[in-house]
């Protein structure tokens, strides 16, 4: 399992993921799930991947192949005719559609054999980025090939083991928050998920994209013993405990004068 989250903010984008993959409790390893593509100076894409590792790797390989073919064309039995690439699309939704088509093609090719062995070929992606002249955007690409976009009302998208990290996003995420705050919030969401689900864990990867910059301002990989990650985790937990301790009490433990004890229902005869 994995967990990835993206934030679409007024100031840009924040994308984050864990790096843990597992094929059972006795086989856990790390693979990067955050991938950056900049095929030209007028565009930048960040792709987060979850689901079947084999499917996600082949989709990413096909993205690289298609870009390579535009620069250095070579006959290939696996590419029958020139098609769209991240270099040729004019809109971010077209890039999401392109990735969805690749995802569906890979699943259709390998899905039947995998299902016979009791495995799934399904994969999902989050695509964030910007093409010059357009606003930044954030899309969730489903295993069926279609996609939805983040909105000001819901400025975040999640894939993978999403339920544990959703509460902090619902409580804190707003389009107007700063990129630094967005980065901290994504890491908090990852930490909460990792604490509740052992299949999600560090290293955590983070990418920060300022609006209209067409370049990342930060790309980090934080290990479990990273001082920054430990400080963030400790401060968040202490903050939550402090807020909890400050909540008003119900007074159930105080003696209430002239009160009548709750009567006990008689046992049925």
């Amino acid at each position: 399992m994995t967990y990835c989250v993206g934030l679409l903010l007024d100031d840009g984008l924040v994308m984050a993921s864990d790096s843990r993959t597992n094929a059972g409790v006795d086989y856990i390893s790390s693979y990067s799930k955050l991938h950056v593509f900049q095929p030209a100076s007028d565009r930048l894409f960040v792709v987060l991947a979850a689901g079947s590792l084999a499917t996600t790797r082949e989709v990413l390989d096909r993205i690289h192949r298609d870009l390579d073919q535009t620069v250095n064309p070579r006959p290939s039995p696996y590419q029958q005719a020139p098609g769209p690439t991240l270099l040729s699309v004019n809109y971010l939704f077209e890039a999401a559609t392109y990735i969805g088509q690749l995802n569906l093609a890979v699943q259709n090719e390998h899905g039947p054999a995998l299902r016979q062995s009791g495995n799934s070929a399904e994969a999902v992606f989050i695509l964030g980025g910007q093409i010059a002249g357009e606003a930044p955007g954030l899309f969730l690409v489903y295993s069926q090939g279609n996609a939805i976009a983040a909105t000001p009302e819901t400025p975040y998208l999640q894939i993978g083991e999403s339920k544990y990290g959703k509460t902090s996003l619902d409580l804190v995420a707003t389009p107007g928050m700063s990129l630094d705050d967005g980065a901290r919030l994504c890491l908090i969401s990852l930490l909460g998920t990792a604490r509740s689900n052992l299949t999600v864990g560090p290293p955590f990867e983070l990418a920060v994209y300022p609006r209209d910059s067409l370049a990342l301002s930060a790309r980090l990989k934080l290990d479990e013993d990273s001082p920054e990650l430990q400080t963030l985790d400790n401060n968040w937990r202490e903050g939550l405990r402090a807020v909890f301790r400050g909540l008003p009490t119900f007074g159930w433990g105080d003696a209430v004068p002239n009160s009548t004890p709750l009567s006990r229902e008689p046992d049925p005869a």
Side-chain angles (χ1 to χ4, degrees), residues 158-224:
Q158 303 166 282
I159 54 176
E161 192 59 75
S162 59
K163 57 184 177 291
Y164 300 108
K166 188 175 185 298
T167 301
S168 57
L169 297 170
D170 285 337
L171 291 173
V172 181
T174 63
M177 69 192 313
S178 70
L179 291 175
D180 284 348
D181 284 346
R184 285 191 285 269
L185 178 57
C186 284
L187 290 173
I188 289 297
S189 185
L190 281 162
L191 284 164
T193 303
R195 188 173 296 111
S196 300
N197 190 308
L198 293 178
T199 65
V200 174
F204 295 150
E205 295 187 75
L206 180 76
V208 179
Y209 172 76
R211 184 187 183 99
D212 298 328
S213 65
L214 297 173
L216 296 180
S217 63
R219 183 174 182 181
L220 307 175
K221 187 172 185 178
L222 301 173
D223 296 321
E224 185 174 8

Side-chain angles (χ1 to χ4, degrees), residues 19-41:
S19 299
R20 181 169 293 180
T21 63
N22 73 297
V25 295
D26 59 346
Y27 187 81
I28 296 176
S29 56
S30 293
Y31 286 90
S32 178
K33 301 162 192 174
L34 189 154
H35 310 273
V36 180
F37 296 88
Q38 189 162 24
S41 60

Side-chain angles (χ1 to χ4, degrees), residues 78-112:
Y78 298 100
Q79 191 177 38
Q80 303 301 324
T85 70
L86 293 183
L87 184 60
S88 64
V89 296
N90 294 315
Y91 302 92
L92 197 64
F93 83 87
E94 293 179 339
T97 299
Y98 162 66
I99 292 175
Q101 291 172 346
L102 291 180
N103 189 19
L104 199 57
V106 173
Q107 291 180 73
N108 288 338
E109 183 174 339
H110 301 293

